[in-house]
Amino acid sequence: MSTQRNLPEAMFFDMDGTLFQTETILLPAYHATFDVLREKGLFMGETPPEERILGALGMLLEHIWQRVMPDASVEARQAADELLLHFQMEALKQGQGKLYDGVSETLQALRDKGVRLFVASNGLEDYVGHVTEAMGLSPLFEDLYSAGKYQTRSKVDLVKIALDTHQISSAWMVGDRSSDVEAGLKNNLIVAACDYAGFREAGELEGAHIRIRSFAELLEYV
């Protein structure tokens, strides 16, 4: 696991739980969302446990809401989508949110080495773009790929689109969930699994070539 590998042409990074400490804006937005859903009569009862939304990070949005509120109506889930995004965008505008330690410096170091940097996220286009910009990362990334923009059914497909579009022959996938590992392996990429966010479930990172416990540790492998 500690062996250095050849410098890749490009690296693809998941957003939530990899670059961005999602819970710093997600949890307040989550509770505000359910307050409004109750006001509108679209949801009854207590707000589902935070663990449900945190455990669903990295999934497609429709799967997130199926997990968080399995008995809710389609209308309620659509409203939850819109409300959660709204409250998170408001938080970013107010200067809230935080990157994991060493993210900016590590990305800059990789870029200085000539690595092309991309985001590959299952999130909404607006969310991914706003987080990247608000956190000051926009100048470091060549392009942003989101399931919301490309309407992909899996991160495997999303990464394949990026690889083909930019004619990339060697790359790494860096992320913290099973969807990231799958996206990397099925596209024949080196997978660096981030084991510091705490959102993953047991066994999710199996199959990864590298496992890092801080973002800056990535530099030790290139």
Side-chain angles (χ1 to χ4, degrees), residues 165-182:
T165 300
H166 295 276
Q167 299 182 320
I168 295 166
S169 57
S170 70
W172 289 20
M173 180 70 222
V174 184
D176 70 309
R177 301 305 302 265
S178 59
S179 57
D180 300 307
V181 176
E182 180 188 34

Side-chain angles (χ1 to χ4, degrees), residues 166-220:
H166 295 276
Q167 299 182 320
I168 295 166
S169 57
S170 70
W172 289 20
M173 180 70 222
V174 184
D176 70 309
R177 301 305 302 265
S178 59
S179 57
D180 300 307
V181 176
E182 180 188 34
L185 295 179
K186 289 192 174 179
N187 283 294
N188 298 311
L189 310 184
I190 296 295
V191 178
C194 302
D195 196 7
Y196 46 75
F199 303 145
R200 66 173 178 82
E201 297 176 357
E204 275 202 76
L205 303 182
E206 288 182 9
H209 304 93
I210 295 164
R211 190 174 294 205
I212 58 175
R213 288 175 174 78
S214 70
F215 192 79
E217 194 179 328
L218 197 59
L219 293 174
E220 297 177 14

Side-chain angles (χ1 to χ4, degrees), residues 69 141-142 150 209:
M69 44 181 186
F141 287 108
E142 186 170 332
Y150 290 92
H209 304 93

